Amino acid sequence: MRQTGDADGPAPTGRAARELCTRAERLLAAARAVLEDRARAVDAVRAVLDPLLDSLVGGELGAIPLARLKDVTEGRLRVNALEQAGFTTVGEVHATSRYALRQVPGVGAATADRTLAAAGQIARAVRDTVAVRIDLEHPDDTTTALVIALHRLVEAGADVRRAADAASALAERLDPLLEAAGPAGSRVRMVFAGSRARGRAREALGSLRTAVNGAAEQELPMLFGQVSVDLLRAPASPAAAWVDFELRSAEYYSLLAELSGSGPDRDAAEGFLPAETADRVRALLLDETRLRVSLRGYQAFGARFAVAQKRVIIGDEMGLGKTVQAIAALAHLAARGGTHFLVVCPASVLINWTREVRARSTLTVRPVHGAERQEAFAEWCAHGGVAVTTFDVLHTLPEVAEAAVVPGMLVVDEAHFVKNPATRRSRAVAAWAERVERVLFLTGTPMENRVSEFRSLVRQLRPELAPAVSSTHGAAGSRAFRRAVAPAYLRRNQADVLAELPALVHVDEWEEFSAEDLAAYREAVASGRFMRMRRAAYAAPAASAKLERLRELVGEARGNGLKVVVFSYFRDVLATVGEALGEDVFGPLSGSVPAARRQELVDAFSAARGHAVLLSQIQAGGLGLNMQAASVVILCEPQVKPTLEHQAVARAHRMGQVRTVQVHRLLAADSVDQRMVDLLARKDRLFDAYARRSDLAETTPDAVDVSDAELARRIVEEEQRRLPRPAGASGRAAAGAGDAAAPS
């Protein structure tokens, strides 16, 4: 049978054949090189990781009594002789050689072999459960070596896996083709080759041309070259590696779990789905070629669940990466030919969605929002990509029946917003959901606690399933509920799947100014008042985009029974937040509150059952108070002194914290917030890392932070140049510098 490559034309001969084979050989060499480079980088990690894992396994085995060996062999192994010889734990047996065991009276060759086999079986089971924890605050030589080795692979990024997968496939394909095509490189060899060999050579040349041209279209030679360069860079310095680990620790731990083979229990990672559903989802091969990020195992399963089950709800607990799972599902469909996708979300997360799609994938994203939403929608219809719009805008767009295209997937974030079918937003979502084959609802609210809400949502996705969902399923417990609704619902909890992650996850929440926010901000810029610019996003509480997102985050934490600490530099911002949240709010802690009273408020907050919110001025709560009852930290604005943020977060992320701490920093795009983030990011991160870990920095932030007045002046001047000043307004950047000290 002739290969598909023959469709490109007749197979080349002579010089053209030789040139084609040379191109294929170079491509094969590049593929093998990138595989070797990755293998060396992985070996460097394993050289440090394996002894660490062996030590952890040894520690666990040292706590397992010798009698467990009998359980493994169902009582067939007698350990009396070992006990009489002084063995007490499985660890002692596992560390002993076969020869040494045979020296024990009463232990023959067969018994020694069975004993070591049983100990090895337990050791393998233990190894599947242990996980290396990297202590950022107490680094030692071993963990530093591990972080440096991991840094090489993390820095190279998700392209490493894509390059390795493509290189493996190419090597497997090109090797036999080059061998078969060999005679075609010489007319003499072709003359003396048999007819069958000549036929195989021509077919191989056709297939080689297809493979080489396909690799060029996918830019694989460039990918292989870049990944090899990245993997061959000199090792990072210890300080640089530790700083990078702190900034993106989740990527380090994801890679660590992959290389160590450790991770969450599979049933937990798969949401305790029934076996038949889990098997069907697991069988789907997720195409990650359009992704720019490596997925954790449970995230990849979530993306496959969305694709395989077609119309589902992913209700993972907050902090588990529902957004990246949705993007992975879209990227898979795009890699398989999909062109149009639609995301509907609250206005408060629209910017986050556009940023995340761009950062995590190669997909084109088109915000459909604001005054030019109709033009943006028409552009999406014509050219495709991921359209991101809001609940309030969706109903103003042409209905799916009128649209020129039907999206390959509809994603609805914060799907509990459409639980009431009578609302306009719910009707608009339902109209699109009815016509789209694949629909993915995302919500962090546990549906087993709100069965009526779930029934309403699932009615839009799987109407046939809704009548079977009753309140008794929720009353029977979360696992019983999840099994009952398995075809349409997947939820994982942090405790189930983040056992090996560090207890700190940072999320920047980018918001877009509302009209009222922008008016207040422009006025502050025109007057040159830096501090007023920083809190302009809260000047009109009823229309504040930041405040709306804060309410959503607190609401999701309430649904999961989590405690929240809200920090701001400004007392008036905290007052606004307190009024917006209402009940279950403690504080605010501020400089005017006596130290003893501050501790009383923290104690009362910690003692409250379930969800509660503590408000704190960042200067008052950032030092000396332990808030480890909280697992969600919200920063109302970025700080001029980064150490203030680190110290405040450290109040919750410290010894005694048993949950992953989520840090949400509220930021306004195209504003003082973005200027501060950009300017402070350009500081020397290594110096900042050293200083922050010193005792001096803990007590004297001014020693390492940038000048308030310098930063304020630069930002005010930049913003006054960027934004036109209203007629008659006055103000100067110097005024902002003097304004910088007042935390009112």
Side-chain angles (χ1 to χ4, degrees):
M1 180 179 294
R2 297 183 64 81
Q3 302 293 319
T4 56
D6 293 342
D8 293 339
T13 57
R15 180 177 178 182
R18 289 194 297 274
E19 290 177 350
L20 175 60
C21 288
T22 298
R23 288 177 62 198
E25 287 167 354
R26 288 173 180 164
L27 181 61
L28 179 59
R32 286 174 172 163
V34 80
L35 290 173
E36 291 170 1
D37 295 337
R38 180 181 182 275
R40 275 193 295 270
V42 169
D43 288 344
V45 175
R46 292 196 186 281
V48 187
L49 177 61
D50 287 345
L52 276 174
L53 289 172
D54 290 342
S55 176
L56 290 172
V57 170
E60 294 288 332
L61 294 178
I64 299 176
L66 187 68
R68 287 293 303 278
L69 293 174
K70 292 191 294 186
D71 298 338
V72 172
T73 60
E74 297 180 350
R76 293 192 299 272
L77 181 66
R78 286 181 282 182
V79 297
N80 295 346
L82 294 174
E83 290 173 341
Q84 291 173 6
F87 288 89
T88 60
T89 69
V90 173
E92 292 168 347
V93 171
H94 188 253
T96 303
S97 68
R98 181 176 184 271
Y99 175 80
L101 282 182
R102 291 193 60 185
Q103 306 310 305
V104 175
V107 176
T111 300
D113 289 342
R114 283 197 297 270
T115 300
L116 288 175
Q121 186 176 342
I122 294 176
R124 287 189 293 274
V126 168
R127 192 180 181 95
D128 289 339
T129 63
V130 299
V132 172
R133 296 295 299 269
I134 299 175
D135 190 345
L136 183 66
E137 300 302 325
H138 302 93
D140 56 30
D141 291 344
T142 303
T143 53
T144 296
L146 179 61
V147 170
I148 290 173
L150 288 168
H151 175 269
R152 187 190 302 276
L153 286 163
V154 171
E155 186 68 14
D159 281 346
V160 173
R161 177 181 293 177
R162 189 161 72 91
D165 290 344
S168 296
L170 266 179
E172 186 177 347
R173 185 179 183 188
L174 293 180
D175 252 337
L177 290 177
L178 280 168
E179 184 178 350
S186 165
R187 286 191 173 89
V188 174
R189 288 184 63 188
M190 285 291 279
V191 168
F192 288 100
S195 59
R196 296 182 65 180
R198 287 195 295 270
R200 285 196 302 270
R202 293 190 186 98
E203 286 187 7
L205 285 171
S207 297
L208 275 179
R209 181 166 53 191
T210 298
V212 170
N213 290 343
E217 289 175 5
Q218 298 176 55
E219 299 182 340
L220 292 184
M222 184 182 299
L223 174 67
F224 294 160
Q226 184 58 57
V227 169
S228 283
V229 168
D230 290 340
L231 291 175
L232 292 173
R233 294 188 195 279
S237 69
W242 276 112
V243 169
D244 193 62
F245 172 79
E246 184 172 7
L247 291 174
R248 43 180 177 172
S249 57
E251 295 180 41
Y252 281 77
Y253 273 98
S254 178
L255 182 60
L256 194 58
E258 177 185 332
L259 295 180
S260 66
S262 64
D265 174 75
R266 192 173 79 170
D267 287 344
E270 296 175 354
F272 302 101
L273 294 177
E276 63 274 15
T277 304
D279 289 344
R280 182 165 57 253
V281 172
R282 215 179 294 122
L284 185 140
L285 181 63
L286 190 67
D287 192 327
E288 300 182 25
T289 55
R290 300 293 302 272
L291 281 180
R292 287 184 171 140
V293 64
S294 296
L295 299 176
R296 300 187 61 75
Y298 74 87
Q299 291 173 333
F301 184 85
R304 292 200 297 269
F305 179 80
V307 174
Q309 296 298 99
K310 295 187 177 180
R311 303 174 68 85
V312 299
I313 300 171
I314 292 183
D316 288 346
E317 189 175 3
M318 60 191 299
L320 295 186
K322 294 185 288 294
T323 300
V324 76
Q325 293 177 63
I327 292 171
L330 300 180
H332 169 89
L333 295 173
R336 299 303 174 92
T339 57
H340 292 73
F341 308 99
L342 178 61
V343 175
V344 184
C345 61
S348 58
V349 294
L350 183 136
I351 293 178
N352 271 3
W353 264 100
T354 58
R355 286 173 176 262
E356 286 291 290
V357 172
R358 289 190 184 112
R360 310 283 185 176
S361 74
T362 62
L363 304 177
T364 300
V365 60
R366 303 182 190 279
V368 180
H369 188 54
E372 299 180 353
R373 57 185 178 271
Q374 298 294 344
E375 292 82 353
F377 183 76
E379 183 79 7
W380 172 69
C381 288
H383 301 290
V386 181
V388 182
T389 192
T390 68
F391 292 113
D392 293 332
V393 168
L394 184 64
H395 79 275
T396 70
L397 302 176
E399 293 187 1
V400 64
E402 304 169 6
V405 295
V406 175
M409 176 175 275
L410 167 67
V411 178
V412 181
D413 195 13
E414 306 289 358
H416 48 276
F417 279 26
V418 295
K419 63 185 178 184
N420 183 352
T423 62
R424 185 171 61 184
R425 67 175 56 165
S426 296
R427 292 197 302 271
V429 168
W432 280 85
E434 185 179 349
R435 297 289 300 274
V436 177
E437 180 184 13
R438 286 186 169 87
V439 183
L440 172 57
F441 282 4
L442 305 176
T443 176
T445 303
M447 292 289 103
E448 50 264 51
N449 297 341
R450 295 168 172 80
V451 177
S452 60
E453 290 182 17
F454 178 83
R455 193 183 298 115
S456 174
L457 294 178
V458 83
R459 192 173 286 117
Q460 299 185 46
L461 299 173
R462 306 281 288 269
E464 76 283 359
L465 188 62
V469 180
S470 68
S471 58
T472 57
H473 290 114
S478 61
R479 292 195 186 181
F481 175 84
R482 293 183 214 174
R483 290 184 182 278
V485 299
Y489 181 56
L490 178 67
R491 177 176 172 85
R492 281 76 58 91
N493 296 323
Q494 286 186 3
D496 292 332
V497 297
L498 290 189
E500 81 289 356
L501 270 182
L504 192 61
V505 176
H506 286 273
V507 180
D508 280 346
E509 303 278 356
W510 289 95
E511 314 301 331
E512 190 175 51
F513 277 144
S514 68
E516 292 86 346
D517 290 338
L518 184 58
Y521 183 70
R522 284 179 175 273
E523 181 182 349
V525 170
S527 66
R529 306 288 287 181
F530 178 64
M531 290 306 212
R532 189 178 298 175
M533 289 163 57
R534 291 183 62 198
R535 57 186 191 270
Y538 301 93
S544 170
K546 278 193 179 184
L547 198 56
E548 177 61 23
R549 182 57 181 154
L550 188 149
R551 278 194 292 255
E552 291 169 0
L553 291 170
V554 171
E556 190 165 345
R558 182 185 300 111
N560 288 284
L562 304 179
K563 286 185 168 66
V564 182
V565 177
V566 179
F567 285 112
S568 175
Y569 186 79
F570 306 100
R571 288 193 293 268
D572 56 351
V573 169
L574 291 175
T576 299
V577 171
E579 291 176 7
L581 295 180
E583 299 178 356
D584 301 323
V585 174
F586 293 82
L589 303 178
S590 68
S592 62
V593 177
R597 176 58 182 156
R598 293 184 209 176
Q599 188 61 60
E600 290 175 3
L601 285 169
V602 172
D603 291 343
F605 165 74
S606 301
R609 295 186 61 184
H611 169 75
V613 179
L614 176 65
L615 307 180
S616 178
Q617 202 169 7
I618 200 163
Q619 308 93 307
L623 285 173
L625 294 173
N626 297 335
M627 302 173 180
Q628 62 262 41
S631 53
V632 178
V633 176
I634 300 176
L635 302 169
C636 291
E637 70 284 319
Q639 303 304 309
V640 176
K641 300 177 185 297
T643 47
L644 278 179
E645 290 188 16
H646 294 298
Q647 290 164 353
V649 171
R651 297 311 100 201
H653 178 226
R654 60 189 301 106
M655 189 71 69
Q657 176 59 257
V658 295
R659 296 182 62 87
T660 296
V661 174
Q662 304 166 53
V663 181
H664 298 266
R665 185 167 59 165
L666 302 178
L667 302 167
D670 294 323
S671 75
V672 60
D673 292 354
Q674 189 159 342
R675 308 297 164 250
M676 288 176 67
V677 169
D678 292 345
L679 284 172
L680 294 172
R682 291 198 289 268
K683 288 182 58 185
D684 186 344
R685 293 190 309 173
L686 301 185
F687 174 77
D688 184 52
Y690 283 129
R692 242 193 297 120
R693 291 191 177 90
S694 72
D695 293 336
L696 177 64
E698 283 294 311
T699 56
T700 317
D702 292 331
V704 295
D705 283 306
V706 296
S707 160
D708 290 20
E710 175 193 354
L711 186 75
R713 185 176 293 107
R714 290 179 61 184
I715 290 175
V716 171
E717 288 174 351
E718 285 184 12
E719 288 298 270
Q720 287 184 336
R721 285 195 297 269
R722 187 178 69 87
L723 295 174
R725 188 176 303 178
S730 63
R732 56 193 178 91
D739 184 38
S744 61

